[in-house]
mmCIF file of all heavy atoms in Angstrom:
data_model
loop_
_atom_site.group_PDB
_atom_site.id
_atom_site.type_symbol
_atom_site.label_atom_id
_atom_site.label_comp_id
_atom_site.label_asym_id
_atom_site.label_seq_id
_atom_site.Cartn_x
_atom_site.Cartn_y
_atom_site.Cartn_z
ATOM 1 N N GLU N 291 7.639 -7.192 -0.300
ATOM 2 C CA GLU N 291 8.483 -6.241 -0.945
ATOM 3 C C GLU N 291 8.133 -6.071 -2.445
ATOM 4 O O GLU N 291 8.282 -4.947 -3.046
ATOM 5 C CB GLU N 291 9.952 -6.655 -0.811
ATOM 6 C CG GLU N 291 10.496 -6.420 0.478
ATOM 7 C CD GLU N 291 10.742 -5.079 1.025
ATOM 8 O OE1 GLU N 291 10.785 -4.139 0.101
ATOM 9 O OE2 GLU N 291 10.693 -4.824 2.189
ATOM 10 N N GLY N 292 7.537 -7.082 -3.074
ATOM 11 C CA GLY N 292 7.135 -6.947 -4.543
ATOM 12 C C GLY N 292 5.911 -6.098 -4.568
ATOM 13 O O GLY N 292 5.892 -5.289 -5.495
ATOM 14 N N SER N 293 4.980 -6.155 -3.548
ATOM 15 C CA SER N 293 3.919 -5.281 -3.526
ATOM 16 C C SER N 293 4.194 -3.831 -3.251
ATOM 17 O O SER N 293 3.699 -2.906 -3.885
ATOM 18 C CB SER N 293 3.043 -5.656 -2.396
ATOM 19 O OG SER N 293 2.429 -6.888 -2.631
ATOM 20 N N TYR N 294 5.269 -3.625 -2.455
ATOM 21 C CA TYR N 294 5.684 -2.226 -2.229
ATOM 22 C C TYR N 294 6.318 -1.594 -3.506
ATOM 23 O O TYR N 294 6.197 -0.352 -3.746
ATOM 24 C CB TYR N 294 6.703 -2.139 -1.068
ATOM 25 C CG TYR N 294 6.332 -2.857 0.169
ATOM 26 C CD1 TYR N 294 7.308 -3.358 1.103
ATOM 27 C CD2 TYR N 294 4.983 -2.912 0.554
ATOM 28 C CE1 TYR N 294 7.001 -4.081 2.164
ATOM 29 C CE2 TYR N 294 4.629 -3.664 1.745
ATOM 30 C CZ TYR N 294 5.567 -4.143 2.594
ATOM 31 O OH TYR N 294 5.227 -4.888 3.658
ATOM 32 N N ARG N 295 7.094 -2.516 -4.142
ATOM 33 C CA ARG N 295 7.805 -2.121 -5.396
ATOM 34 C C ARG N 295 6.707 -1.588 -6.449
ATOM 35 O O ARG N 295 6.880 -0.628 -7.127
ATOM 36 C CB ARG N 295 8.693 -3.134 -5.963
ATOM 37 C CG ARG N 295 9.632 -2.645 -7.086
ATOM 38 C CD ARG N 295 10.857 -3.633 -7.202
ATOM 39 N NE ARG N 295 10.510 -4.989 -7.375
ATOM 40 C CZ ARG N 295 11.411 -6.017 -7.367
ATOM 41 N NH1 ARG N 295 12.766 -5.657 -7.118
ATOM 42 N NH2 ARG N 295 11.053 -7.238 -7.518
ATOM 43 N N SER N 296 5.541 -2.541 -6.499
ATOM 44 C CA SER N 296 4.445 -2.111 -7.445
ATOM 45 C C SER N 296 3.829 -0.963 -7.087
ATOM 46 O O SER N 296 3.498 -0.118 -7.979
ATOM 47 C CB SER N 296 3.570 -3.351 -7.430
ATOM 48 O OG SER N 296 2.358 -3.036 -8.184
ATOM 49 N N PHE N 297 3.642 -0.699 -5.777
ATOM 50 C CA PHE N 297 2.985 0.596 -5.281
ATOM 51 C C PHE N 297 3.764 1.816 -5.710
ATOM 52 O O PHE N 297 3.267 2.855 -6.195
ATOM 53 C CB PHE N 297 2.800 0.484 -3.812
ATOM 54 C CG PHE N 297 2.715 1.816 -3.106
ATOM 55 C CD1 PHE N 297 1.656 2.746 -3.343
ATOM 56 C CD2 PHE N 297 3.767 2.197 -2.225
ATOM 57 C CE1 PHE N 297 1.600 3.973 -2.707
ATOM 58 C CE2 PHE N 297 3.717 3.449 -1.525
ATOM 59 C CZ PHE N 297 2.645 4.292 -1.764
ATOM 60 N N LYS N 298 5.110 1.675 -5.470
ATOM 61 C CA LYS N 298 5.978 2.960 -5.769
ATOM 62 C C LYS N 298 5.893 3.342 -7.234
ATOM 63 O O LYS N 298 5.987 4.496 -7.619
ATOM 64 C CB LYS N 298 7.398 2.678 -5.255
ATOM 65 C CG LYS N 298 7.574 2.631 -3.911
ATOM 66 C CD LYS N 298 9.117 2.461 -3.442
ATOM 67 C CE LYS N 298 9.848 3.772 -3.646
ATOM 68 N NZ LYS N 298 11.138 3.771 -3.052
ATOM 69 N N LYS N 299 5.625 2.257 -8.141
ATOM 70 C CA LYS N 299 5.535 2.687 -9.612
ATOM 71 C C LYS N 299 4.220 3.450 -9.756
ATOM 72 O O LYS N 299 4.239 4.207 -10.781
ATOM 73 C CB LYS N 299 5.494 1.373 -10.429
ATOM 74 C CG LYS N 299 6.759 0.719 -10.410
ATOM 75 C CD LYS N 299 6.580 -0.690 -11.261
ATOM 76 C CE LYS N 299 7.913 -1.394 -11.341
ATOM 77 N NZ LYS N 299 7.726 -2.746 -12.126
ATOM 78 N N ASN N 300 3.184 3.355 -9.028
ATOM 79 C CA ASN N 300 1.950 4.062 -9.183
ATOM 80 C C ASN N 300 1.911 5.372 -8.582
ATOM 81 O O ASN N 300 0.929 6.193 -8.709
ATOM 82 C CB ASN N 300 0.793 3.150 -8.579
ATOM 83 C CG ASN N 300 0.561 1.945 -9.380
ATOM 84 O OD1 ASN N 300 0.822 1.910 -10.580
ATOM 85 N ND2 ASN N 300 0.056 0.868 -8.819
ATOM 86 N N VAL N 301 2.950 5.731 -7.874
ATOM 87 C CA VAL N 301 3.037 7.072 -7.215
ATOM 88 C C VAL N 301 3.807 8.060 -8.056
ATOM 89 O O VAL N 301 5.032 7.942 -8.213
ATOM 90 C CB VAL N 301 3.644 6.963 -5.798
ATOM 91 C CG1 VAL N 301 3.767 8.358 -5.197
ATOM 92 C CG2 VAL N 301 3.020 6.018 -4.847
ATOM 93 N N HIS N 302 3.098 8.921 -8.678
ATOM 94 C CA HIS N 302 3.665 9.827 -9.669
ATOM 95 C C HIS N 302 3.668 11.331 -9.076
ATOM 96 O O HIS N 302 2.798 12.173 -9.401
ATOM 97 C CB HIS N 302 2.965 9.759 -10.879
ATOM 98 C CG HIS N 302 2.815 8.518 -11.542
ATOM 99 N ND1 HIS N 302 3.876 7.834 -12.066
ATOM 100 C CD2 HIS N 302 1.787 7.606 -11.780
ATOM 101 C CE1 HIS N 302 3.545 6.586 -12.503
ATOM 102 N NE2 HIS N 302 2.223 6.482 -12.263
ATOM 103 N N LYS N 303 4.589 11.597 -8.283
ATOM 104 C CA LYS N 303 4.792 12.895 -7.669
ATOM 105 C C LYS N 303 3.575 13.445 -6.946
ATOM 106 O O LYS N 303 3.236 14.583 -6.905
ATOM 107 C CB LYS N 303 5.248 13.847 -8.751
ATOM 108 C CG LYS N 303 6.569 13.532 -9.369
ATOM 109 C CD LYS N 303 7.105 14.475 -10.364
ATOM 110 C CE LYS N 303 8.359 14.108 -10.942
ATOM 111 N NZ LYS N 303 8.786 15.155 -11.946
ATOM 112 N N GLN N 304 2.706 12.456 -6.386
ATOM 113 C CA GLN N 304 1.661 12.829 -5.621
ATOM 114 C C GLN N 304 2.031 13.686 -4.365
ATOM 115 O O GLN N 304 2.847 13.258 -3.660
ATOM 116 C CB GLN N 304 0.616 11.741 -5.185
ATOM 117 C CG GLN N 304 -0.426 11.394 -6.184
ATOM 118 C CD GLN N 304 0.096 10.258 -7.049
ATOM 119 O OE1 GLN N 304 1.268 9.964 -7.257
ATOM 120 N NE2 GLN N 304 -0.873 9.561 -7.667
ATOM 121 N N LYS N 305 1.347 14.812 -4.167
ATOM 122 C CA LYS N 305 1.789 15.728 -3.068
ATOM 123 C C LYS N 305 1.096 15.188 -1.797
ATOM 124 O O LYS N 305 1.595 15.513 -0.668
ATOM 125 C CB LYS N 305 1.353 17.109 -3.270
ATOM 126 C CG LYS N 305 2.152 17.801 -4.482
ATOM 127 C CD LYS N 305 3.658 17.825 -4.279
ATOM 128 C CE LYS N 305 4.306 18.440 -5.305
ATOM 129 N NZ LYS N 305 5.860 18.420 -5.120
ATOM 130 N N HIS N 306 0.025 14.595 -1.859
ATOM 131 C CA HIS N 306 -0.759 13.978 -0.686
ATOM 132 C C HIS N 306 -1.318 12.655 -0.909
ATOM 133 O O HIS N 306 -2.039 12.410 -1.889
ATOM 134 C CB HIS N 306 -1.838 15.092 -0.321
ATOM 135 C CG HIS N 306 -2.578 14.664 0.877
ATOM 136 N ND1 HIS N 306 -4.010 14.813 0.935
ATOM 137 C CD2 HIS N 306 -2.248 14.149 2.076
ATOM 138 C CE1 HIS N 306 -4.494 14.362 2.097
ATOM 139 N NE2 HIS N 306 -3.380 13.977 2.878
ATOM 140 N N LEU N 307 -1.114 11.740 0.001
ATOM 141 C CA LEU N 307 -1.732 10.425 -0.095
ATOM 142 C C LEU N 307 -2.520 10.072 1.214
ATOM 143 O O LEU N 307 -2.151 10.426 2.341
ATOM 144 C CB LEU N 307 -0.590 9.422 -0.204
ATOM 145 C CG LEU N 307 0.356 9.592 -1.459
ATOM 146 C CD1 LEU N 307 1.556 8.603 -1.377
ATOM 147 C CD2 LEU N 307 -0.508 9.177 -2.730
ATOM 148 N N LEU N 308 -3.549 9.357 1.062
ATOM 149 C CA LEU N 308 -4.309 8.728 2.200
ATOM 150 C C LEU N 308 -3.767 7.353 2.471
ATOM 151 O O LEU N 308 -3.703 6.481 1.609
ATOM 152 C CB LEU N 308 -5.788 8.765 1.960
ATOM 153 C CG LEU N 308 -6.514 10.119 1.527
ATOM 154 C CD1 LEU N 308 -7.988 9.824 1.359
ATOM 155 C CD2 LEU N 308 -6.271 11.131 2.657
ATOM 156 N N GLY N 309 -3.448 7.012 3.649
ATOM 157 C CA GLY N 309 -3.090 5.699 4.079
ATOM 158 C C GLY N 309 -4.096 5.076 5.050
ATOM 159 O O GLY N 309 -4.401 5.596 6.126
ATOM 160 N N ILE N 310 -4.890 4.058 4.541
ATOM 161 C CA ILE N 310 -5.845 3.462 5.372
ATOM 162 C C ILE N 310 -5.429 2.066 5.890
ATOM 163 O O ILE N 310 -5.007 1.186 5.052
ATOM 164 C CB ILE N 310 -7.119 3.227 4.434
ATOM 165 C CG1 ILE N 310 -7.604 4.572 3.814
ATOM 166 C CG2 ILE N 310 -8.219 2.604 5.283
ATOM 167 C CD1 ILE N 310 -8.671 4.492 2.884
ATOM 168 N N GLN N 311 -5.480 1.866 7.143
ATOM 169 C CA GLN N 311 -4.869 0.665 7.728
ATOM 170 C C GLN N 311 -5.968 0.032 8.616
ATOM 171 O O GLN N 311 -6.807 0.701 9.268
ATOM 172 C CB GLN N 311 -3.640 0.939 8.549
ATOM 173 C CG GLN N 311 -3.747 1.964 9.619
ATOM 174 C CD GLN N 311 -2.364 1.996 10.320
ATOM 175 O OE1 GLN N 311 -1.771 1.059 10.620
ATOM 176 N NE2 GLN N 311 -2.131 3.250 10.859
ATOM 177 N N ASP N 312 -5.990 -1.355 8.614
ATOM 178 C CA ASP N 312 -6.908 -2.062 9.493
ATOM 179 C C ASP N 312 -6.330 -3.525 9.628
ATOM 180 O O ASP N 312 -5.369 -3.931 8.928
ATOM 181 C CB ASP N 312 -8.367 -2.222 8.808
ATOM 182 C CG ASP N 312 -9.397 -2.444 9.815
ATOM 183 O OD1 ASP N 312 -9.079 -2.673 11.005
ATOM 184 O OD2 ASP N 312 -10.519 -2.384 9.391
ATOM 185 N N THR N 313 -6.840 -4.244 10.540
ATOM 186 C CA THR N 313 -6.543 -5.662 10.803
ATOM 187 C C THR N 313 -7.589 -6.621 10.446
ATOM 188 O O THR N 313 -8.740 -6.340 10.778
ATOM 189 C CB THR N 313 -6.192 -5.818 12.281
ATOM 190 O OG1 THR N 313 -5.119 -4.810 12.631
ATOM 191 C CG2 THR N 313 -5.571 -7.140 12.562
ATOM 192 N N THR N 314 -7.248 -7.730 9.858
ATOM 193 C CA THR N 314 -8.225 -8.858 9.577
ATOM 194 C C THR N 314 -7.497 -10.142 10.204
ATOM 195 O O THR N 314 -6.366 -10.238 10.255
ATOM 196 C CB THR N 314 -8.568 -9.041 8.220
ATOM 197 O OG1 THR N 314 -9.645 -10.043 8.056
ATOM 198 C CG2 THR N 314 -7.404 -9.419 7.293
ATOM 199 N N GLU N 315 -8.401 -11.058 10.609
ATOM 200 C CA GLU N 315 -7.810 -12.369 11.044
ATOM 201 C C GLU N 315 -8.227 -13.393 9.988
ATOM 202 O O GLU N 315 -9.173 -13.436 9.493
ATOM 203 C CB GLU N 315 -8.324 -12.543 12.388
ATOM 204 C CG GLU N 315 -9.831 -12.849 12.523
ATOM 205 C CD GLU N 315 -10.295 -13.134 13.998
ATOM 206 O OE1 GLU N 315 -9.603 -12.734 14.866
ATOM 207 O OE2 GLU N 315 -11.342 -13.782 14.145
ATOM 208 N N ASN N 316 -7.213 -14.303 9.703
ATOM 209 C CA ASN N 316 -7.478 -15.424 8.791
ATOM 210 C C ASN N 316 -7.728 -16.589 9.696
ATOM 211 O O ASN N 316 -6.706 -16.952 10.492
ATOM 212 C CB ASN N 316 -6.328 -15.668 7.885
ATOM 213 C CG ASN N 316 -6.293 -14.626 6.789
ATOM 214 O OD1 ASN N 316 -7.044 -13.610 6.816
ATOM 215 N ND2 ASN N 316 -5.417 -14.867 5.757
ATOM 216 N N ASN N 317 -8.871 -17.137 9.588
ATOM 217 C CA ASN N 317 -9.272 -18.283 10.506
ATOM 218 C C ASN N 317 -9.061 -19.660 9.766
ATOM 219 O O ASN N 317 -9.733 -19.926 8.728
ATOM 220 C CB ASN N 317 -10.732 -18.106 10.934
ATOM 221 C CG ASN N 317 -11.122 -19.005 12.022
ATOM 222 O OD1 ASN N 317 -10.715 -20.070 12.083
ATOM 223 N ND2 ASN N 317 -12.011 -18.534 12.844
ATOM 224 N N TYR N 318 -8.313 -20.449 10.388
ATOM 225 C CA TYR N 318 -8.020 -21.778 9.817
ATOM 226 C C TYR N 318 -8.340 -22.992 10.793
ATOM 227 O O TYR N 318 -7.839 -24.062 10.718
ATOM 228 C CB TYR N 318 -6.556 -21.926 9.349
ATOM 229 C CG TYR N 318 -6.150 -21.038 8.247
ATOM 230 C CD1 TYR N 318 -5.622 -19.824 8.449
ATOM 231 C CD2 TYR N 318 -6.640 -21.300 6.997
ATOM 232 C CE1 TYR N 318 -5.277 -18.941 7.518
ATOM 233 C CE2 TYR N 318 -6.293 -20.397 5.859
ATOM 234 C CZ TYR N 318 -5.763 -19.234 6.139
ATOM 235 O OH TYR N 318 -5.428 -18.360 5.121
#
């Protein structure tokens, strides 16, 4: 939620945004 809050501060009335999603695995 802290990351989302930081992201919203950087959105200044942009009319269009690209959302790039992918999956990674953390191997332990």
Side-chain angles (χ1 to χ4, degrees):
E291 288 291 336
S293 295
Y294 309 153
R295 190 157 59 188
S296 174
F297 154 65
K298 290 187 74 172
K299 289 180 181 178
N300 291 332
V301 179
H302 303 293
K303 298 183 180 179
Q304 272 95 339
K305 296 300 182 182
H306 180 220
L307 298 170
L308 302 181
I310 303 173
Q311 55 178 324
D312 202 358
T313 305
T314 187
E315 58 181 33
N316 285 12
N317 190 327
Y318 294 102

